[in-house]
Amino acid sequence: QVTLWLKKLYGSVPIPQYEVNERTVDILHEIMENNEERDKDVMLLIEDMKDRTSKCEAEADYWHDVLGESLGFLEGSLSKEANDDLTDLVQSAIELDVEDTSLTSFYSAINDMTKELYKTKSKNEEMEQKLRILAKKLTSALMVEKQLEKDIEKLKKSQGVQQAKAEIQSKNMKFLEDKSKDLKIRICDAEAQLLARGLDQSLTHEALVKSSEELAALRKEIEPLKTELASYLDLPPSIPLAQVKVEEARKEL
């Protein structure tokens, strides 16, 4: 079916090459059915138009006979100017879609078209106003979008720099941690070797750290005593000198 349809469609022109499989045949078959349905619709439309044309021609012949027999109006009996006016009248009646060519029908049709024109103009003005508003919003949105793109680029660059710094800091931290662990291991090994050789326990790293902490605590305890001692050092070495100092202070007061 598809092959016959393609031959009929292309006629004497060779059918284009295509991959023949189940899917392509199904697609072509569906297109063929749609095409045939459309052809049927077109044929029905053509028949309908022919039928309408026949009716219009019959009606035209009828009115031609009526005008010729009743009014003595025959084709070719009017002047060119009258024929032109009559043609314009007919065309106007067709364009305005009036029932007859009376002035009342023409005025009513023109009035209706004028109303439609005003409505259309009003809608166009509303649409233009909406378009202007949308254009402003679109311009603003585009500006915001550009600014956001710039901000995103800056943020990406900043994040890249921060990430690089973080990686460097992480590497440095890892290096220091590894170095600290290595030093601790070396200190432990060295202390073990020294202890094995008879080193005094008080000279080990832990003992020295403990002694340093105890010394710092003792210094804190001594600070108030130093302050109190300094107040005593300012006193005179004997009672007479102390009495003299007191008299001098009294005189100053």
Side-chain angles (χ1 to χ4, degrees), residues 151-169:
D151 293 341
I152 290 171
E153 287 296 326
K154 290 181 181 178
L155 182 60
K156 285 182 179 179
K157 290 180 181 179
S158 176
Q159 286 179 346
V161 173
Q162 293 295 330
Q163 186 176 0
K165 288 183 179 179
E167 289 178 356
I168 292 172
Q169 290 178 354

Side-chain angles (χ1 to χ4, degrees), residues 18-25:
Y18 64 94
E19 184 179 353
V20 180
N21 53 47
E22 185 177 357
R23 183 171 178 275
T24 56
V25 173

